[in-house]
C-alpha cells in the first residue's frame, strides 16, 4: 500500500502522460488532479516562511509545472462535510427520542479513529459514528463524479491525488466503500503526505519560495474569487465540526443563536466541552476529544451508559490534523510545540466563511446532487462502517 500510494506513483503517472504526449496519443492521457489539504499547506508554508496564500499558489504552481492539470483545495469539500454533519446531527437529535444509538453522534472524518473503532470495538460503537464522509472522500466524489462529468470524462480517465497531513488517509482512500467496480477506480487514487511533498521539492531541487505562483481560479481551487484570497472555516485545525454542528443545532432545534461558544477545558487541552443552555430548553452538550487517551475515555463512557454529550468531535492526533503524523517534522533545536504553534498560527491566519455562504456550494448542491437530502446527496456524501468482530484468530487465541 505504502509503495502503491506514494509520490513515486504520481511521478509514474506523469511520466506516462509525457510519453503519450510525445507519441501523439494525448487522448489516452489521464487528467491529473491534486487536492491540497489546508493543514498540509500550513505545514509547508511554515517551513518555507510563506503566507498561506503564497504557499497555496506556489504549491499549485509546483504541481502544474510537473504536469498536473488541476489543483484543488479540500477546504471546498469540507463545506459539504460540515453542512452534512450539521443536518445529520439535527436529524439524529430528533430520532434520539426513539432510537438509543442516535446520540451521541461521533464525528467521522479521522480515519485513525475510524480504524480503531472498527477494529477494537466491533459493531458496538459504529451506530454512533456520523455517516458523513470526510473532506478527502467528498473531494473524491466531487472530482470523480461531478468534475468528471463536467469535463466529459469517465472517472477512470482522472487520476486523483490528495495531499494530507497523515498516513491514515492512505488507508481511508483504499477502503472498498470508495472504490467503483463499474469504472475500476478509486475516488482518491493516491494520497501523499505533506512530508512526501517536501521530498518532491527536494527531488526537483527547489524550495517552495522559488516556485512560480499559479493563481488560476475555479470554485474548487480554494481561492474564493478570481482576485485571489483563501478562505477557511472557524473552529480549529481539524475543521471546526463542533463549532458548526453546535451553532446549527441551536438555530434549528431552539430557534436561537450564540455569539461565541465557551470552550471549557476538562482533563487536558485536548478534551474540551461546550454547553449551550437556553432558558426553558434542554441544554445541548458537546465535546472535543483528541488523542487516544481521550477517545478511550469517550468510548468507555458510551459502553457504560454514562455519556452525557450529544456530539463529540473525535480526532486521533493530539491537537488534531495540524499535528498529523505526515506533517513536516521540527528542525534541529526546535521543539514539536514550537513548530506546532507556528503551523497553527499560519492555519488560523486565513479568514473564515460559513460553509453555506461559500462561493459555489449552493450551486454545486443543485447542479450535482439535485439539492440537499436527495438520494444522490446520500450516495455521494455519506458512507458506512464495518465492524471487525473479534474472532479467535483476531485475538490470537491458541486453542
Ligand atoms: Fe489523520 Fe491525525 Fe487528522 Fe486523524 S487527527 S485525520 S490521524 S491527521
Amino acid at each position: 500500500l505504502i509503495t502503491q500510494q506514494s509520490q513515486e506513483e504520481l511521478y509514474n503517472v506523469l511520466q506516462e502522460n509525457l510519453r503519450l504526449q510525445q507519441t501523439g496519443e494525448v487522448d489516452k492521457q489521464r487528467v491529473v488532479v491534486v487536492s491540497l489539504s489546508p493543514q498540509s499547506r500550513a505545514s509547508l508554508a511554515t517551513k518555507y516562511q510563506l503566507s498561506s496564500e503564497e504557499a497555496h499558489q506556489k504549491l499549485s504552481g509546483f504541481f502544474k509545472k510537473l504536469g498536473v492539470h488541476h489543483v484543488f483545495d479540500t477546504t471546498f469539500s469540507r463545506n459539504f462535510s460540515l453542512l452534512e454533519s450539521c443536518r445529520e446531527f439535527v436529524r439524529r437529535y430528533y430520532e434520539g427520542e426513539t432510537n438509543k444509538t442516535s446520540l451521541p453522534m461521533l464525528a467521522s472524518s479521522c480515519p485513525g479513529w475510524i480504524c480503531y473503532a472498527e477494529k477494537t470495538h466491533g459493531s458496538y460503537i459504529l451506530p454512533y459514528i456520523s455517516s458523513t464522509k470526510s473532506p478527502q472522500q467528498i473531494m473524491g466524489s466531487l472530482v470523480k463524479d461531478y468534475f468528471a462529468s463536467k469535463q466529459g470524462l469517465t472517472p477512470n480517465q482522472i487520476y486523483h491525488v490528495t495531499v494530507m497531513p497523515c498516513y491514515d488517509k492512505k488507508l481511508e482512500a483504499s477502503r472498498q466503500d470508495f472504490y467503483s467496480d463499474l469504472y475500476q477506480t478509486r475516488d482518491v487514487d493516491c494520497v501523499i503526505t505533506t512530508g512526501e511533498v517536501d521530498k518532491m521539492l527536494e527531488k526537483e531541487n527547489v524550495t517552495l519560495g522559488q516556485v512560480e505562483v499559479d493563481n488560476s481560479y475555479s470554485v474548487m481551487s480554494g481561492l474564493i474569487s478570481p482576485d485571489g484570497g483563501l478562505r477557511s472555516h472557524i473552529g480549529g485545525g481539524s475543521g471546526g465540526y463542533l463549532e458548526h454542528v453546535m451553532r446549527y443545532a441551536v438555530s434549528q432545534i431552539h430557534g436561537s443563536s450564540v455569539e461565541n461558544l465557551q470552550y471549557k477545558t476538562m482533563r487536558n487541552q485536548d478534551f474540551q466541552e461546550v454547553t449551550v443552555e437556553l432558558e426553558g430548553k434542554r441544554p445541548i452538550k458537546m465535546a472535543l476529544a483528541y488523542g487516544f487517551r481521550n477517545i478511550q475515555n469517550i468510548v468507555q463512557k458510551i459502553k457504560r451508559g454514562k455519556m452525557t454529550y450529544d456530539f463529540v468531535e473525535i480526532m486521533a492526533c493530539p491537537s488534531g490534523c495540524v499535528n498529523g503524523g505526515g506533517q513536516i517534522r521540527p528542525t534541529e533545536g526546535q521543539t514539536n510545540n514550537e513548530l506546532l504553534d507556528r503551523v497553527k498560527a499560519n492555519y488560523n491566519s486565513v479568514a473564515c466563511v460559513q460553509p453555506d455562504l461559500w462561493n459555489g456550494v449552493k450551486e454545486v448542491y443543485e447542479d450535482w446532487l439535485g439539492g440537499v437530502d436527495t438520494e444522490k446527496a446520500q450516495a455521494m456524501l455519506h458512507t458506512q462502517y464495518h465492524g471487525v468482530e473479534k474472532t479467535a484468530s483476531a485475538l490470537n487465541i491458541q486453542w
Side-chain angles (χ1 to χ4, degrees):
L1 172 73
I2 302 300
T3 47
Q4 205 183 57
Q5 283 206 18
S6 66
Q7 67 273 34
E8 298 310 325
E9 193 186 291
L10 169 60
Y11 273 119
N12 289 342
V13 172
L14 293 171
Q15 258 163 23
E16 176 61 7
N17 273 357
L18 196 63
R19 189 190 68 74
L20 290 166
Q21 196 176 339
Q22 283 159 355
T23 55
E25 298 167 281
V26 181
D27 55 324
K28 289 193 184 147
Q29 282 187 343
R30 291 172 86 187
V31 172
V32 183
V33 175
V34 170
S35 299
L36 298 170
S37 73
Q39 293 88 359
S40 299
R41 180 181 62 223
S43 180
L44 286 156
T46 303
K47 168 160 180 178
Y48 292 101
Q49 300 182 357
L50 300 167
S51 70
S52 305
E53 268 88 2
E54 282 170 329
H56 185 85
Q57 293 176 342
K58 283 176 181 281
L59 280 166
S60 186
F62 174 66
F63 282 114
K64 295 246 176 113
K65 190 116 195 256
L66 291 178
V68 168
H69 299 92
H70 303 273
V71 178
F72 298 144
D73 180 343
T74 57
T75 319
F76 182 71
S77 52
R78 192 166 68 189
N79 286 305
F80 295 85
S81 293
L82 291 170
L83 290 168
E84 290 299 309
S85 298
C86 290
R87 279 193 275 270
E88 185 184 349
F89 176 79
V90 171
R91 179 178 56 74
R92 292 171 74 128
Y93 181 91
Y94 289 119
E95 280 173 9
E97 288 159 16
T98 52
N99 180 353
K100 279 197 174 135
T101 58
S102 285
L103 296 180
M105 179 170 115
L106 307 176
S108 60
S109 65
C110 169
W113 145 240
I114 297 296
C115 276
Y116 165 79
E118 287 184 326
K119 290 201 179 123
T120 316
H121 298 287
S123 50
Y124 185 81
I125 217 82
L126 305 185
Y128 296 98
I129 301 179
S130 158
S131 66
T132 302
K133 283 188 197 172
S134 70
Q136 167 171 278
Q137 293 310 136
I138 290 187
M139 201 61 177
S141 301
L142 273 163
V143 167
K144 290 285 179 110
D145 193 80
Y146 183 58
F147 179 73
S149 73
K150 288 275 160 201
Q151 301 281 311
L153 299 167
T154 55
N156 53 349
Q157 288 177 300
I158 296 180
Y159 182 72
H160 182 207
V161 182
T162 59
V163 175
M164 287 285 144
C166 80
Y167 289 90
D168 288 350
K169 286 282 173 190
K170 295 180 195 251
L171 294 173
E172 182 183 41
S174 307
R175 288 172 74 91
Q176 197 58 32
D177 305 289
F178 305 134
Y179 181 82
S180 158
D181 286 324
L182 179 60
Y183 292 104
Q184 303 201 342
T185 186
R186 293 194 200 111
D187 292 343
V188 177
D189 295 287
C190 177
V191 180
I192 51 180
T193 65
T194 317
E196 286 168 343
V197 171
D198 204 29
K199 287 206 187 101
M200 290 175 74
L201 286 160
E202 270 173 37
K203 183 177 156 136
E204 300 301 322
N205 217 7
V206 283
T207 67
L208 194 54
Q210 291 165 336
V211 175
E212 254 179 61
V213 300
D214 164 55
N215 55 7
S216 50
Y217 165 80
S218 80
V219 283
M220 298 214 281
S221 71
L223 301 169
I224 197 82
S225 69
D227 311 328
L230 283 175
R231 290 297 180 271
S232 185
H233 299 113
I234 189 170
S238 285
Y241 283 80
L242 184 154
E243 187 82 30
H244 289 90
V245 172
M246 181 62 104
R247 288 173 184 281
Y248 187 78
V250 171
S251 80
Q252 297 297 306
I253 296 166
H254 292 333
S256 189
S257 64
V258 262
E259 189 79 12
N260 289 311
L261 299 184
Q262 301 299 325
Y263 287 78
K264 188 167 142 202
T265 300
M266 304 304 286
R267 312 165 135 246
N268 48 58
Q269 272 302 321
D270 282 318
F271 197 148
Q272 299 190 30
E273 166 181 306
V274 179
T275 307
V276 172
E277 275 185 282
L278 300 169
E279 219 185 309
K281 315 258 188 197
R282 168 183 167 321
I284 305 179
K285 216 172 159 189
M286 300 189 179
L288 297 176
Y290 290 2
F292 271 107
R293 215 170 322 149
N294 292 326
I295 293 177
Q296 275 170 335
N297 183 279
I298 293 289
V299 170
Q300 290 314 322
K301 277 198 174 134
I302 294 175
K303 285 193 162 175
R304 287 196 212 113
K306 296 218 157 40
M307 174 51 61
T308 54
Y309 300 123
D310 298 302
F311 173 77
V312 190
E313 179 181 317
I314 294 190
M315 295 285 160
C317 296
S319 297
C321 295
V322 278
N323 190 30
Q327 296 281 68
I328 291 169
R329 307 319 311 159
T331 51
E332 228 181 286
Q334 189 180 40
T335 66
N336 197 42
N337 280 348
E338 280 163 8
L339 175 61
L340 184 59
D341 284 347
R342 292 178 57 208
V343 176
K344 279 185 186 168
N346 184 289
Y347 182 88
N348 292 328
S349 68
V350 179
C352 296
V353 172
Q354 281 282 103
D356 52 337
L357 301 177
W358 195 283
N359 198 10
V361 168
K362 201 164 161 251
E363 291 75 6
V364 172
Y365 259 111
E366 287 303 323
D367 194 26
W368 179 35
L369 305 168
V372 295
D373 288 333
T374 60
E375 234 172 76
K376 184 153 187 191
Q378 184 63 26
M380 291 291 136
L381 307 177
H382 292 261
T383 185
Q384 55 199 330
Y385 309 103
H386 316 279
V388 179
E389 298 304 339
K390 290 189 183 73
T391 60
S393 63
L395 289 169
N396 205 17
I397 292 173
Q398 307 293 321
W399 296 105

